[in-house]
Coordinates of all heavy atoms in Angstrom, one line a residue:
Y138 N 56.8 88.3 103.6 CA 57.1 87.0 103.9 C 57.8 86.3 102.8 O 58.2 85.1 103.0 CB 55.8 86.2 104.2 CG 55.0 86.7 105.4 CD1 53.8 87.5 105.3 CD2 55.5 86.5 106.7 CE1 53.2 88.0 106.4 CE2 54.8 87.0 107.8 CZ 53.7 87.8 107.6 OH 53.0 88.3 108.7
N139 N 58.1 87.0 101.7 CA 58.8 86.4 100.6 C 60.1 87.1 100.2 O 60.9 86.5 99.5 CB 57.9 86.4 99.3 CG 56.6 85.7 99.5 OD1 56.5 84.6 100.1 ND2 55.5 86.3 99.0
Y140 N 60.3 88.3 100.7 CA 61.4 89.1 100.2 C 62.8 88.5 100.5 O 63.7 88.6 99.7 CB 61.4 90.5 100.8 CG 62.0 90.7 102.2 CD1 63.3 91.1 102.3 CD2 61.2 90.5 103.3 CE1 63.8 91.3 103.6 CE2 61.7 90.7 104.6 CZ 63.0 91.1 104.7 OH 63.6 91.3 106.0
Q141 N 63.0 87.7 101.6 CA 64.3 87.1 101.9 C 64.6 86.0 100.9 O 65.7 85.9 100.4 CB 64.3 86.6 103.3 CG 64.3 87.7 104.3 CD 64.3 87.2 105.8 OE1 63.9 86.0 106.0 NE2 64.8 88.0 106.7
G142 N 63.6 85.2 100.6 CA 63.8 84.2 99.6 C 64.0 84.7 98.2 O 64.9 84.2 97.4
D143 N 63.3 85.8 97.8 CA 63.5 86.4 96.5 C 64.9 87.0 96.4 O 65.5 86.9 95.4 CB 62.4 87.6 96.3 CG 61.0 87.0 96.2 OD1 60.9 85.8 95.9 OD2 60.1 87.8 96.4
T144 N 65.3 87.6 97.5 CA 66.7 88.2 97.5 C 67.7 87.2 97.3 O 68.7 87.4 96.4 CB 67.0 88.9 98.9 OG1 66.0 89.9 99.1 CG2 68.4 89.5 98.9
E145 N 67.6 86.0 97.9 CA 68.6 85.0 97.7 C 68.6 84.4 96.3 O 69.6 84.1 95.7 CB 68.4 83.8 98.8 CG 68.6 84.3 100.2 CD 68.6 83.1 101.2 OE1 68.5 81.9 100.7 OE2 68.6 83.3 102.4
K146 N 67.4 84.3 95.7 CA 67.3 83.8 94.3 C 68.0 84.8 93.4 O 68.7 84.3 92.5 CB 65.8 83.7 93.9 CG 65.1 82.5 94.6 CD 63.7 82.5 94.1 CE 62.9 81.4 94.8 NZ 61.5 81.4 94.5
V147 N 67.8 86.1 93.5 CA 68.4 87.0 92.6 C 69.9 87.1 92.8 O 70.6 87.1 91.8 CB 67.8 88.5 92.9 CG1 68.5 89.5 92.1 CG2 66.3 88.5 92.5
L148 N 70.4 87.1 94.0 CA 71.8 87.1 94.3 C 72.5 85.9 93.7 O 73.6 86.0 93.1 CB 72.1 87.2 95.8 CG 71.8 88.6 96.4 CD1 72.0 88.5 97.9 CD2 72.8 89.6 95.9
K149 N 71.9 84.7 93.9 CA 72.4 83.5 93.3 C 72.4 83.6 91.8 O 73.3 83.1 91.1 CB 71.7 82.3 93.8 CG 72.0 81.9 95.3 CD 71.3 80.7 95.7 CE 71.7 80.3 97.1 NZ 71.0 79.1 97.6
G150 N 71.3 84.1 91.2 CA 71.3 84.3 89.8 C 72.4 85.2 89.2 O 72.8 85.1 88.1
L151 N 72.9 86.1 90.1 CA 73.9 87.0 89.7 C 75.3 86.5 90.0 O 76.3 87.2 89.8 CB 73.7 88.4 90.4 CG 72.6 89.3 89.9 CD1 72.3 90.4 90.8 CD2 73.0 89.8 88.5
G152 N 75.4 85.2 90.5 CA 76.7 84.6 90.7 C 77.2 84.5 92.1 O 78.2 84.0 92.3
F153 N 76.4 85.1 93.1 CA 76.8 85.0 94.5 C 76.5 83.6 95.0 O 75.5 83.0 94.6 CB 76.1 86.0 95.3 CG 76.6 87.4 95.0 CD1 75.9 88.2 94.1 CD2 77.7 88.0 95.7 CE1 76.3 89.5 93.9 CE2 78.1 89.3 95.4 CZ 77.4 90.1 94.5
T154 N 77.4 83.1 95.9 CA 77.1 81.8 96.6 C 76.5 82.1 98.0 O 76.6 83.2 98.5 CB 78.4 81.0 96.7 OG1 79.3 81.8 97.6 CG2 79.1 80.8 95.4
T155 N 76.0 81.0 98.6 CA 75.4 81.2 99.9 C 76.5 81.7 100.9 O 76.2 82.5 101.8 CB 74.9 79.8 100.4 OG1 73.9 79.4 99.4 CG2 74.2 80.0 101.8
E156 N 77.7 81.2 100.7 CA 78.8 81.7 101.6 C 79.1 83.2 101.4 O 79.6 83.8 102.4 CB 80.1 80.9 101.3 CG 80.1 79.4 101.6 CD 79.2 78.6 100.6 OE1 79.1 79.0 99.5 OE2 78.7 77.5 101.0
D157 N 78.8 83.7 100.3 CA 79.0 85.2 100.1 C 78.1 86.1 100.8 O 78.3 87.2 101.1 CB 78.9 85.5 98.6 CG 80.1 84.9 97.7 OD1 81.2 84.7 98.3 OD2 79.8 84.6 96.6
F158 N 76.9 85.5 101.1 CA 75.8 86.4 101.7 C 76.2 87.1 103.0 O 75.8 88.2 103.2 CB 74.5 85.5 102.0 CG 73.9 85.0 100.7 CD1 72.9 84.0 100.8 CD2 74.2 85.5 99.5 CE1 72.3 83.5 99.7 CE2 73.6 85.0 98.3 CZ 72.6 84.0 98.4
E159 N 77.0 86.5 103.8 CA 77.3 87.0 105.1 C 78.7 87.8 105.1 O 79.2 88.3 106.1 CB 77.4 86.0 106.2 CG 76.0 85.3 106.4 CD 74.9 86.3 106.7 OE1 75.2 87.3 107.4 OE2 73.8 86.0 106.2
K160 N 79.3 87.9 103.9 CA 80.6 88.6 103.8 C 80.3 90.1 103.7 O 79.2 90.6 103.2 CB 81.3 88.2 102.5 CG 81.9 86.8 102.6 CD 82.7 86.4 101.4 CE 83.2 85.0 101.4 NZ 83.9 84.6 100.2
Q161 N 81.2 90.9 104.2 CA 81.1 92.4 104.1 C 81.2 92.9 102.7 O 82.0 92.4 101.9 CB 82.2 93.1 104.9 CG 82.1 92.7 106.4 CD 80.9 93.4 107.1 OE1 80.7 94.6 107.0 NE2 80.1 92.6 107.8
T162 N 80.4 93.9 102.3 CA 80.4 94.4 100.9 C 81.8 95.0 100.5 O 82.2 94.9 99.4 CB 79.3 95.5 100.7 OG1 79.6 96.5 101.7 CG2 77.9 94.9 100.9
D163 N 82.5 95.5 101.5 CA 83.8 96.2 101.1 C 84.9 95.1 100.9 O 86.0 95.5 100.5 CB 84.2 97.2 102.2 CG 84.3 96.5 103.6 OD1 84.3 95.3 103.7 OD2 84.4 97.3 104.6
T164 N 84.6 93.8 101.0 CA 85.6 92.8 100.6 C 85.4 92.4 99.2 O 86.2 91.6 98.7 CB 85.4 91.6 101.5 OG1 84.1 91.0 101.3 CG2 85.5 91.9 103.0
F165 N 84.4 92.9 98.5 CA 84.2 92.6 97.1 C 84.7 93.7 96.2 O 84.8 94.8 96.5 CB 82.7 92.4 96.8 CG 82.1 91.2 97.4 CD1 81.6 91.2 98.7 CD2 82.1 90.0 96.7 CE1 81.1 90.0 99.3 CE2 81.5 88.8 97.3 CZ 81.1 88.9 98.6
S166 N 85.1 93.3 94.9 CA 85.6 94.2 93.9 C 84.4 95.0 93.4 O 83.3 94.8 93.6 CB 86.3 93.4 92.8 OG 85.3 92.6 92.1
G167 N 84.8 96.0 92.6 CA 83.8 97.0 92.1 C 82.7 96.3 91.3 O 81.5 96.6 91.3
G168 N 83.1 95.3 90.4 CA 82.1 94.6 89.6 C 81.1 93.8 90.4 O 79.9 93.8 90.1
W169 N 81.6 93.2 91.5 CA 80.6 92.4 92.3 C 79.7 93.4 93.1 O 78.6 93.1 93.4 CB 81.4 91.5 93.3 CG 82.0 90.3 92.6 CD1 83.3 90.2 92.1 CD2 81.3 89.1 92.2 NE1 83.4 89.0 91.5 CE2 82.2 88.3 91.5 CE3 80.0 88.7 92.3 CZ2 81.9 87.1 91.0 CZ3 79.6 87.4 91.8 CH2 80.6 86.6 91.2
R170 N 80.3 94.5 93.5 CA 79.4 95.5 94.3 C 78.4 96.1 93.3 O 77.3 96.4 93.7 CB 80.3 96.6 94.9 CG 81.2 96.0 96.0 CD 82.2 97.0 96.5 NE 81.5 98.0 97.3 CZ 82.2 99.1 97.9 NH1 83.5 99.2 97.7 NH2 81.5 99.9 98.6
M171 N 78.7 96.2 92.0 CA 77.8 96.6 91.0 C 76.6 95.6 90.9 O 75.5 96.0 90.8 CB 78.5 96.8 89.7 CG 77.5 97.4 88.6 SD 77.1 99.1 88.8 CE 78.6 99.9 88.3
R172 N 76.9 94.4 91.0 CA 75.9 93.3 91.0 C 74.9 93.4 92.2 O 73.7 93.2 92.0 CB 76.5 91.9 91.0 CG 77.4 91.7 89.7 CD 77.9 90.2 89.7 NE 79.1 90.1 89.0 CZ 79.6 89.0 88.4 NH1 78.9 87.9 88.6 NH2 80.7 89.0 87.8
I173 N 75.5 93.8 93.3 CA 74.6 94.0 94.5 C 73.6 95.1 94.2 O 72.4 95.0 94.5 CB 75.4 94.3 95.8 CG1 76.4 93.1 96.1 CG2 74.5 94.6 96.9 CD1 77.4 93.4 97.2
E174 N 74.2 96.2 93.7 CA 73.3 97.3 93.3 C 72.2 97.0 92.3 O 71.1 97.4 92.4 CB 74.2 98.5 92.8 CG 73.5 99.8 92.8 CD 73.1 100.4 94.2 OE1 73.7 99.9 95.2 OE2 72.3 101.3 94.2
L175 N 72.6 96.1 91.3 CA 71.7 95.7 90.3 C 70.6 94.8 91.0 O 69.4 94.9 90.6 CB 72.4 94.9 89.2 CG 73.1 95.6 88.1 CD1 74.0 94.7 87.3 CD2 72.1 96.3 87.2
A176 N 71.0 94.0 91.9 CA 70.1 93.1 92.6 C 69.0 94.0 93.3 O 67.8 93.7 93.3 CB 70.8 92.2 93.6
K177 N 69.5 95.0 93.9 CA 68.6 95.9 94.6 C 67.6 96.6 93.7 O 66.4 96.6 94.0 CB 69.4 97.0 95.4 CG 70.1 96.6 96.6 CD 71.3 97.5 97.0 CE 70.8 98.8 97.4 NZ 71.9 99.7 97.9
L178 N 68.0 97.0 92.5 CA 67.1 97.6 91.5 C 66.1 96.6 91.0 O 64.9 96.9 90.9 CB 67.9 98.1 90.3 CG 68.8 99.4 90.6 CD1 69.5 99.8 89.3 CD2 67.9 100.6 91.1
L179 N 66.5 95.3 90.8 CA 65.6 94.3 90.3 C 64.5 94.0 91.3 O 63.4 93.9 91.0 CB 66.4 93.0 90.0 CG 67.5 93.1 89.0 CD1 68.0 91.7 88.7 CD2 67.1 93.8 87.7
L180 N 64.9 93.9 92.6 CA 64.0 93.5 93.6 C 63.0 94.7 93.9 O 61.9 94.4 94.5 CB 64.8 93.2 94.9 CG 65.6 91.9 94.8 CD1 66.6 91.8 95.9 CD2 64.6 90.7 94.9
Q181 N 63.3 95.9 93.5 CA 62.4 97.0 93.8 C 61.3 97.1 92.8 O 60.3 97.8 93.0 CB 63.2 98.3 93.7 CG 64.1 98.6 94.9 CD 65.0 99.8 94.7 OE1 65.1 100.3 93.6 NE2 65.7 100.2 95.8

């Protein structure tokens, strides 16, 4: 019941905006995709 809110907090902490959340991952550069992977590791 908390994971969606936690995910948004971490992504915003890494510099993503709310508008970025629904964008496809392949539209981002390598550095931003690395941040997504980092977010996944943190949330685990």
Side-chain angles (χ1 to χ4, degrees):
Y138 297 108
N139 302 318
Y140 83 93
Q141 292 179 334
D143 292 342
T144 299
E145 292 188 12
K146 285 179 185 177
V147 171
L148 286 173
K149 285 182 177 179
L151 285 168
F153 290 94
T154 64
T155 304
E156 292 74 25
D157 292 331
F158 292 167
E159 298 305 323
K160 291 181 181 178
Q161 298 289 308
T162 57
D163 55 13
T164 63
F165 289 88
S166 64
W169 287 98
R170 293 174 73 180
M171 182 70 78
R172 296 185 205 201
I173 298 172
E174 194 68 14
L175 277 171
K177 287 160 65 176
L178 288 179
L179 302 187
L180 291 162
Q181 287 171 349

